[in-house]
Structure formats: C-alpha cells, structure tokens
Amino acid sequence: MKKLKLIAPLIFASVAMYSCDCVQNVTGTVLDKATKLPIDSVYTQKIDRNHTHTYTDKNGFFELNDISGGFRKCPPMEVAITKPGYEIVSLEMENSRHDTIYLERLR
C-alpha cells in the first residue's frame, strides 16, 4: 500500500504534464485582393473568444496569442477577419505559422 501511495502522485503528475495547455501564436498579413496592398485596421479575432482580438497595423500585419488545450499538439486557431467594405473571412490558422490573407472589396 505504501508503494501505491508513492507511485500515484508520480502517475498523476506525468499525465498532467503530458496533457498540458499550449500557447497558440498565429500571425498574418491582410492584403487587398485586387491591389495586393496591405489593409490597415482590419479587426482580427479568435472565434469564440471575444477577448482575443487585435487590429492590423499599417503593413496589414497582425498577431494573435491565446492559451488552448491540446493533447501533445496545439490545435489550429479559428480566426475571423473583418473590415467594413470588405468580405468577412473565417479560417483556421496553424500554430506558429504566418499566413497571407486576401480580402475582396464588396461591390
């Protein structure tokens, strides 16, 4: 019984560390589809998390960070990208990856 009392906390700690949360970090550049120029002040948000959002800078660049559960690997981040006068884009972005996103103007 003493061995079980010693081993149980080690097993619990091993399982807890193996299935830890991960830090999601995605970056992107938002460009106008027609002109290929960067778009400033585009609202980017992790879907289902209202507090995880940002705006693109003058170069169209954005970065989103969040904590997410993941078993051995961080899951992709679902992101919504919006700006008045442009189409709304929703996409999955892989962790630690930079994507270029093209927005099309509404007619």
Side-chain angles (χ1 to χ4, degrees):
M1 190 60 142
K2 279 187 175 184
K3 285 186 180 182
L4 183 59
K5 286 183 180 180
L6 292 174
I7 294 174
L10 292 174
I11 292 172
F12 177 77
S14 296
V15 169
M17 290 180 71
Y18 190 68
S19 62
C20 289
D21 289 339
C22 65
V23 176
Q24 289 180 302
N25 180 307
V26 297
T27 61
T29 303
V30 181
L31 303 176
D32 183 287
K33 188 173 183 177
T35 67
K36 309 296 189 263
L37 294 174
I39 307 173
D40 188 15
S41 304
V42 177
Y43 184 76
T44 60
Q45 174 185 357
K46 180 177 180 181
I47 296 175
D48 296 332
R49 294 276 179 114
N50 290 334
H51 63 274
T52 305
H53 67 272
T54 191
Y55 289 89
T56 58
D57 65 13
K58 67 181 181 179
N59 299 313
F61 177 82
F62 71 90
E63 180 175 9
L64 289 170
N65 299 293
D66 199 18
I67 303 292
S68 177
F71 187 69
R72 298 179 64 189
K73 179 183 173 195
C74 276
M77 184 184 291
E78 291 189 46
V79 178
I81 300 173
T82 61
K83 174 146 178 121
Y86 285 88
E87 67 180 351
I88 296 171
V89 173
S90 296
L91 69 151
E92 274 191 356
M93 296 181 72
E94 291 295 326
N95 191 42
S96 300
R97 186 170 144 191
H98 182 91
D99 287 332
T100 301
I101 299 103
Y102 295 93
L103 293 188
E104 189 170 356
R105 282 193 177 270
L106 297 175
R107 299 188 192 264

